[in-house]
Amino acid sequence: MALSTFDTLLQKIETRNARAGIIGLGYVGLPLAMAVARSGFAVTGFDIDPGKMVALDARRSYIDAVSDAALAAEIEAGRFQATTDFAGLAACDVIIICVPTPLTKHRDPDLSFVEATSRSIAQHLRPGQLVVLESTTYPGTTDDIVKVILEGTGLKSGADFFVGFSPEREDPGNQHYHTASIPKVVAGDGTEALALMKAFYGAAVSTVVPVSSNATAEAVKLTENIFRSVNIALVNELKTVYAAMGIDVWEVIDAAKTKPFGYMPFYPGPGLGGHCIPIDPFYLTWKSREYELPTRFIELAGEINSAMPRYVVGKLAEALDIRAGKALSRSKVLVLGLAYKKNVADIRESPSLRLIEIIEERGGRADYHDPFVAEIPPTREYQALKGRKSVALTPEAIARYDAVLVATDHDSVDYAALAKGATLIIDTRNVFNRLGLSADHVIKA
């Protein structure tokens, strides 16, 4: 008896004879490709950026989570290859979409990358394929956009091909968890799609967490990031209130976290960065309008966090005025840290870019130092900053600036030398106090 489309694909997955195609070889796609390849599947990576192909062909990784050695091992074992030719999708049994889902200028979802990718898949869709979306989005995207585009071919989800959603959970710079060790939420369009999702991801990661629908899985990812956004906004607001009262919010948090129940520490900063927290909550606020339901908590958190760079620059200007008798418009400022979090090179949505922009809008001059980012690459929002280079953190260089603004507390920086050489330091990460380097010229913001 001939096997059904589902049985044939399931058998391919269970025997590791399925070929996986991963579209988008960035911070999510490349680590996922390595995890899937290590589990025994042949993997083809797809990306529109020819520069990535040059790097991959040279066995050179451009993602911190993937070492050159790990990349070379999978290529040389014949388990990984990369291409810009999407015709290769026809040979893939499992196709995973890992493309950006940014916001428009009006904070509406920009699903153009998901839609374009889905149309590319549709051109090569055939019976017996599983198509998975991993990009973060609002509930309903997988079924209402990806599935609809694919069914425009005349093939039917659940009969000819299968559709699923599994939210990415990458955390750049995290030394304790990696793609294969982070529990993976999976869902599918129907019981057979879910069974395929469990079989495929169960082969590549340590723990699979199945949920009842693609929309539920999409909501899981949003909930995780909204939780962080709201709590970070809370401590950012407390920071401004406590500062007015002469209370150190960092000391408050350190004391509060000694409570062994009912409290989880979150920390303030100069604003939100990264590919998830500054963006993902607004996907839900946008979708909620369809149901005429307000999302006041989420939107307020977004407003508070978005206001932090301007608050920090205000504290900088105040400190320059009071302690140096100098206006920000006549000052040179060194922003320490361009990446959105410490010990990584990731500048996506980094508040440091906004800090530089605000300082220069107010007439000041801002340079930056970052041991992980030698030059500012092209960005959608800050094109005018493209090409600026990191300043070497020498005593002579430090002395040239009226203030140093610590936006990212990379571990490799010599903070003792900075404390000794800088005239004024604005610390948004509490790093000087944490290292026992508190001084009168170090101002928390």
Side-chain angles (χ1 to χ4, degrees):
M1 182 181 296
L3 294 175
S4 67
T5 303
F6 163 72
D7 289 328
T8 301
L9 181 52
L10 181 61
Q11 188 177 81
K12 280 187 175 183
I13 291 172
E14 290 178 338
T15 59
R16 306 293 198 277
N17 287 318
R19 173 172 289 276
I22 297 177
I23 304 175
L25 297 176
Y27 285 90
V28 174
L30 189 60
L32 178 63
M34 294 299 100
V36 172
R38 279 193 296 268
S39 69
F41 294 99
V43 179
T44 301
F46 298 87
D47 203 287
I48 61 174
D49 183 358
K52 289 179 181 176
M53 299 302 118
V54 172
L56 295 172
D57 287 344
R59 313 300 200 262
R60 188 177 72 252
S61 174
Y62 44 84
I63 301 295
D64 292 339
V66 176
S67 68
D68 291 349
L71 173 64
E74 299 311 316
I75 293 174
E76 289 163 12
R79 290 189 294 263
F80 177 71
Q81 61 186 40
T83 181
T84 57
D85 185 0
F86 281 56
L89 289 170
C92 297
D93 303 293
V94 179
I95 300 172
I96 305 172
I97 303 170
C98 302
V99 298
T101 47
L103 295 171
T104 69
K105 291 182 179 180
H106 302 290
R107 289 183 173 176
D108 290 337
D110 178 1
L111 293 178
S112 58
F113 297 102
V114 171
E115 293 170 351
T117 301
S118 298
R119 287 192 289 270
S120 293
I121 295 171
Q123 292 175 7
H124 307 287
L125 190 68
R126 59 166 172 80
Q129 290 180 309
L130 169 65
V131 180
V132 184
L133 179 63
E134 285 218 2
S135 307
T136 306
T137 186
Y138 59 79
T141 302
T142 305
D143 293 341
D144 298 343
I145 294 180
V146 177
K147 174 183 166 182
V148 169
I149 290 173
L150 298 181
E151 287 193 327
T153 62
L155 299 176
K156 294 300 179 184
S157 174
D160 303 306
F161 67 93
F162 304 90
V163 174
F165 181 83
S166 180
E168 60 86 6
R169 282 175 162 174
E170 289 297 318
D171 186 19
N174 192 317
Q175 301 300 313
H176 302 290
Y177 294 98
H178 51 84
T179 302
S181 65
I182 301 170
K184 202 84 168 77
V185 174
V186 299
D189 179 31
T191 56
E192 291 186 337
L194 178 58
L196 293 170
M197 293 285 288
K198 289 163 64 177
F200 176 74
Y201 281 103
V205 304
S206 59
T207 305
V208 170
V209 182
V211 295
S212 60
S213 69
N214 289 330
T216 299
E218 289 161 338
V220 168
K221 176 62 173 177
L222 292 182
T223 299
E224 293 169 2
N225 290 332
I226 290 168
F227 173 80
R228 293 183 66 192
S229 174
V230 168
N231 280 281
I232 292 170
L234 174 61
V235 293
N236 273 331
E237 186 167 64
L238 290 175
K239 172 180 70 176
T240 65
V241 174
Y242 289 155
M245 298 177 177
I247 298 170
D248 184 347
V249 69
W250 297 92
E251 183 181 1
V252 171
I253 294 170
D254 283 345
K257 72 181 184 182
T258 62
K259 184 180 180 182
F261 52 87
Y263 181 81
M264 178 184 295
F266 285 81
Y267 298 96
L272 286 184
H275 64 301
C276 286
I277 304 175
I279 293 174
D280 298 349
F282 293 105
Y283 271 70
L284 187 61
T285 64
W286 180 86
K287 185 65 175 178
S288 70
R289 296 174 202 158
E290 179 182 329
Y291 299 89
E292 298 183 351
L293 292 172
T295 50
R296 291 190 291 269
F297 243 78
I298 300 170
E299 293 182 47
L300 179 59
E303 291 172 11
I304 293 170
N305 290 325
S306 296
M308 280 302 106
R310 195 166 292 280
Y311 170 83
V312 168
V313 174
K315 296 288 283 187
L316 166 66
E318 179 184 273
L320 282 166
D321 179 32
I322 293 174
R323 295 182 176 257
K326 196 169 187 180
L328 176 58
S329 61
R330 295 186 293 107
S331 300
K332 289 185 64 178
V333 180
L334 180 65
V335 175
L336 182 60
L338 196 71
Y340 82 91
K341 65 185 292 189
K342 70 178 184 178
N343 304 333
V344 301
D346 193 345
I347 69 164
R348 289 175 295 174
E349 309 297 327
S350 174
S352 296
L353 298 168
R354 180 63 178 143
L355 289 168
I356 293 172
E357 185 178 66
I358 296 172
I359 290 168
E360 297 193 340
E361 283 175 354
R362 295 184 59 168
R365 169 65 189 180
D367 295 324
Y368 83 94
H369 169 78
D370 194 304
F372 296 91
V373 186
E375 182 177 326
I376 300 180
T379 59
R380 285 188 297 271
E381 298 292 328
Y382 303 98
Q383 296 180 15
L385 301 182
K386 174 187 173 184
R388 292 198 187 183
K389 292 179 170 55
S390 176
V391 172
L393 204 61
T394 63
E396 295 76 20
I398 293 169
R400 291 199 297 267
Y401 293 95
D402 298 294
V404 175
L405 171 55
V406 179
T408 314
D409 52 336
H410 293 302
D411 289 338
S412 59
V413 172
D414 187 344
Y415 292 100
L418 188 58
K420 181 178 179 181
T423 303
L424 177 66
I425 297 171
I426 307 300
D427 185 1
T428 71
R429 300 292 186 177
N430 197 41
V431 62
F432 287 89
N433 183 68
R434 197 165 68 239
L435 296 176
L437 299 170
S438 297
D440 288 342
H441 68 298
V442 178
I443 310 299
K444 296 180 184 181

